[in-house]
Amino acid sequence: MPERRPDRALGPGHNDFWQWCAASELRLQRCATCGELSWPVVATCEFCGSTDLAWEHMSGRGRVIAWTTFERDYYAGTLPIPWDTILVELAEGPLFLSNPKGFSWPDITIGMPVQVAFVDCEDSAGPFRLPVFERGQEAQGGD
Ligand SMILES: [Zn+2]
């Protein structure tokens, strides 16, 4: 049974993002002109304005750099309250706003490693797979 979620923001390029998520891949747009990653989805590179963007596979690894717990029903009962939101700094650099899976606010520490996971959801536009984050592994020694 998919989780009911508030409606996604959809626009040019968003279908590509959600199709990668449906395949359990987190991909962001990398600019072929300047090499930077743009996120959220853009029509032109947010750094140089180029339209030469390609969907690049992300490792899905990151660290929690901020979080908050909402106790007010902002979505008319769509999400059970309270619910947690985390800000993840992806290993590749971009910041990604998401939800924790398998842990909640008492467990969250700033800097804790997380790993992307995908959960079946639906909104008024239909079913989709939402990228969320589970506890990750601490980086191994050496590099
Ligand atoms: Zn660029």
Side-chain angles (χ1 to χ4, degrees), residues 28-143:
L28 303 187
Q29 296 164 292
R30 186 177 297 278
C31 177
T33 302
C34 74
E36 296 288 344
L37 287 167
S38 288
W39 174 252
V41 176
V42 293
T44 61
C45 173
E46 63 183 91
F47 297 92
C48 76
S50 171
T51 57
D52 193 1
L53 304 167
W55 291 95
E56 183 172 298
H57 182 261
M58 299 288 109
S59 67
R61 289 181 290 106
R63 291 188 175 277
V64 175
I65 62 168
W67 62 273
T68 192
T69 298
F70 291 94
E71 298 187 359
R72 184 177 256 184
D73 188 9
Y74 288 107
Y75 294 105
T78 305
L79 291 174
I81 52 174
W83 87 92
D84 300 321
T85 299
I86 54 176
L87 183 62
V88 174
E89 181 180 31
L90 297 176
E92 293 83 0
L95 304 183
F96 201 95
L97 202 55
S98 185
N99 304 120
K101 178 182 180 219
F103 64 99
S104 60
W105 69 267
D107 310 313
I108 298 172
T109 57
I110 299 303
M112 72 183 285
V114 289
Q115 175 70 41
V116 75
F118 294 87
V119 295
D120 292 326
C121 294
E122 66 178 356
D123 65 9
S124 64
F128 64 99
R129 300 194 76 214
L130 181 70
V132 296
F133 287 83
E134 300 175 321
R135 287 176 188 270
Q137 300 293 318
E138 285 291 345
Q140 300 300 307
D143 53 25

